[in-house]
Amino acid sequence: MATTTKAAAPAKKNSGFQGVKAAWIILVICAIAGYSVWYFIMGNPDNFVGGDRSGHPANLLGTVYKGGFVVGLILTLLFTVICLGIERFFAIKSASGKMNLAKFTAEVKNAIKAQDFAKAKDLCNKMQGSVANVVLASINMYQNVETDNTLKKAAKIAKISQAHE
């Protein structure tokens, strides 16, 4: 006997920060920047005695340049971490939504207690974040299973839990 599960409806696309779609572009840019800093800044002839790169370093930048091409790779990795860290900051900030989370939660809770699901859905649409998407999916599934008299209470709870996931 086969069982089928109905997938939750896809969430509405958020028009906020979309994130980096092609991280390889960032890697290439960071590699160019890293090797440019290594070669042109650290390898500047002013950082060496007599202006000769093959000579003795005159300061710390010249000494680091003498580390070889691995220094450019390390700088590439450093710049990549910084860039992707900034990107993740904006992605997480946009996922948190547009309203204060505590205020949103309190208002949705009050609307659900009052059985005003339309108001709760409107609040979720105004919030536009990950939490709002989960709450909206739960409200929609709750309304679907509440009208279905063929399901037992445990099955209804399981379907609502599945909507969370």
Side-chain angles (χ1 to χ4, degrees), residues 8-165:
K12 187 172 79 171
K13 277 271 194 187
N14 188 355
S15 61
F17 183 73
Q18 297 297 316
V20 175
K21 299 298 181 204
W24 66 271
I25 296 172
I26 288 180
L27 286 172
V28 170
I29 292 170
C30 289
I32 292 169
Y35 280 98
S36 296
V37 167
W38 171 70
Y39 188 78
F40 294 113
I41 294 176
M42 294 178 178
N44 189 338
D46 293 338
N47 295 328
F48 296 91
V49 175
D52 183 20
R53 285 185 181 149
S54 61
H56 188 69
N59 57 26
L60 184 63
L61 290 177
T63 304
V64 174
Y65 175 80
K66 285 290 194 174
F69 71 92
V70 174
V71 175
L73 178 64
I74 293 170
L75 288 172
T76 298
L77 297 175
L78 173 69
F79 294 154
T80 303
V81 167
I82 291 169
C83 290
L84 294 179
I86 292 170
E87 184 271 338
R88 286 289 87 200
F89 169 77
F90 286 116
I92 290 171
K93 186 176 178 188
S94 70
S96 66
K98 295 183 178 179
M99 294 172 54
N100 181 354
L101 186 59
K103 181 180 175 185
F104 168 75
T105 306
E107 288 182 14
V108 167
K109 198 180 222 182
N110 291 336
I112 291 173
K113 280 183 183 179
Q115 298 289 315
D116 188 2
F117 295 112
K119 180 180 178 185
K121 286 182 179 182
D122 286 340
L123 287 169
C124 290
N125 290 332
K126 286 180 189 175
M127 177 71 167
Q128 292 184 345
S130 299
V131 174
N133 289 339
V134 171
V135 171
L136 185 61
S138 300
I139 290 170
N140 288 334
M141 186 56 71
Y142 174 78
Q143 287 181 315
N144 288 344
V145 299
E146 196 60 31
T147 58
D148 189 358
N149 294 329
T150 62
L151 294 174
K152 293 183 181 180
K153 185 176 182 179
K156 290 180 180 182
I157 291 171
K159 282 193 170 251
I160 294 171
S161 295
Q162 185 183 17
H164 285 320
E165 294 173 11

